[in-house]
């Protein structure tokens, strides 16, 4: 049965948020989302849960049936499912098609839908990814240390030769002044 949006009138903000979250998670499962794996798509479930009925549709409860019935006078059609639920299922399928291959494999791995060979490939790929990340980390550290060493060496080099230049200039200074005075 499709969860209905909770009636939050008169509730505290905290309680209203809790009820909306619970109803959203129920609706997410109802349209085929896996809340633990599809946290980035929960917005779709909340939008679907809160979707208004399209024009011409009304919500009725029939005696003897526990579930609500959606009825359209113009089409003379009734259904147990909200008229927009199929739209949100299709949107979910489209979003999953756009999902990167790596995410699909990760989802299948977490739900146990991979063969042993695919699991081994995924494991090796994860090991390569971690090794690459570690190499990148160390290369960044080496580059930082190298840059620091070059700067430190440059300062020492300039400092030494700067001192010698200053000594030479101060020694030759009287001569320069004499030349200027004579000229």
């Amino acid at each position: 049965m499709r969860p209905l949006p909770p009636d939050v009138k008169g509730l505290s903000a905290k309680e209203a948020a809790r009820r909306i979250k619970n109803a959203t998670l129920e609706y997410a499962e109802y349209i085929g989302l896996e809340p633990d794996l599809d946290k980035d798509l929960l917005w779709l479930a909340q939008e679907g849960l809160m979707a208004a009925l399209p024009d011409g549709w009304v919500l009725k409860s029939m005696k003897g049936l526990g579930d609500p019935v959606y009825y359209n006078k113009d089409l003379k059609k009734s259904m147990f499912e909200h008229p927009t639920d199929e739209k949100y299922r299709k949107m979910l399928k489209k979003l999953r098609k756009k999902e990167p291959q790596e995410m699909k494999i990760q989802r299948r791995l977490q739900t146990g839908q991979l063969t042993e060979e695919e699991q081994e490939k995924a494991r090796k790929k994860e090991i390569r990814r971690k090794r690459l990340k570690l190499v990148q980390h160390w290369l960044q550290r080496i580059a930082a240390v190298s840059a620091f060493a070059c700067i430190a060496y440059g300062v020492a080099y300039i400092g030494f030769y700067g001192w010698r230049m200053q000594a030479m200039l101060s020694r030759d200074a009287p001569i320069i002044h004499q030349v200027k005075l004579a000229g």
Side-chain angles (χ1 to χ4, degrees):
M1 179 175 107
R2 179 193 200 273
L4 296 173
D7 183 19
V8 294
K9 292 177 185 167
L11 297 176
S12 69
K14 190 175 183 178
E15 179 62 20
R18 187 187 66 74
R19 286 190 185 184
I20 290 171
K21 180 182 177 185
N22 289 341
T24 300
L25 293 174
E26 282 182 47
Y27 184 74
E29 290 176 357
Y30 180 75
I31 62 170
L33 276 169
E34 297 172 43
D36 295 336
L37 302 176
D38 295 318
K39 289 180 182 177
D40 58 325
L41 296 175
L42 284 177
W43 63 268
L44 181 68
Q46 187 165 10
E47 186 178 307
L49 176 68
M50 300 300 188
L53 283 168
D55 291 338
W57 287 91
V58 292
L59 178 63
K60 292 188 172 193
S61 59
M62 299 182 77
K63 294 179 182 172
L65 294 175
D67 297 343
V69 175
Y70 299 93
Y71 180 72
N72 188 319
K73 277 186 186 180
D74 302 334
L75 300 174
K76 295 185 178 160
K77 183 178 178 181
S78 61
M79 56 194 312
F80 287 105
E81 190 171 82
H82 193 284
T84 61
D85 287 346
E86 191 57 33
K87 170 187 160 187
Y88 287 98
R89 283 192 189 99
K90 286 179 181 177
M91 286 174 67
L92 175 62
K93 283 182 183 178
K94 277 186 182 179
L95 289 169
R96 283 203 174 138
K97 281 183 183 177
K98 291 180 183 178
E99 185 176 55
Q101 186 65 24
E102 194 171 301
M103 292 295 291
K104 289 178 184 177
I105 290 173
Q106 191 66 25
R107 177 188 312 283
R108 289 180 56 211
L109 180 64
Q110 289 176 344
T111 57
Q113 297 174 346
L114 289 178
T115 64
E116 286 183 28
E117 184 180 317
E118 289 173 321
Q119 285 179 0
E120 184 63 22
K121 279 183 184 178
R123 188 184 67 75
K124 285 180 180 178
K125 192 171 188 174
E126 181 65 17
I127 289 171
R128 279 194 305 271
R129 187 188 66 75
K130 285 181 180 178
R131 285 181 181 162
L132 179 63
K133 192 173 181 179
L134 185 65
V135 167
Q136 288 172 338
H137 169 76
W138 281 106
L139 285 175
Q140 287 173 347
R141 294 189 92 176
I142 289 169
V145 168
S146 297
F148 178 75
C150 288
I151 291 169
Y153 177 75
V155 167
Y157 183 80
I158 292 169
F160 174 74
Y161 283 100
W163 171 79
R164 286 195 63 204
M165 288 295 277
Q166 187 178 13
M168 287 172 51
L169 287 174
S170 63
R171 187 178 51 204
D172 296 339
I175 299 169
I176 294 171
H177 287 291
Q178 288 173 1
V179 171
K180 284 186 180 178
L181 293 173

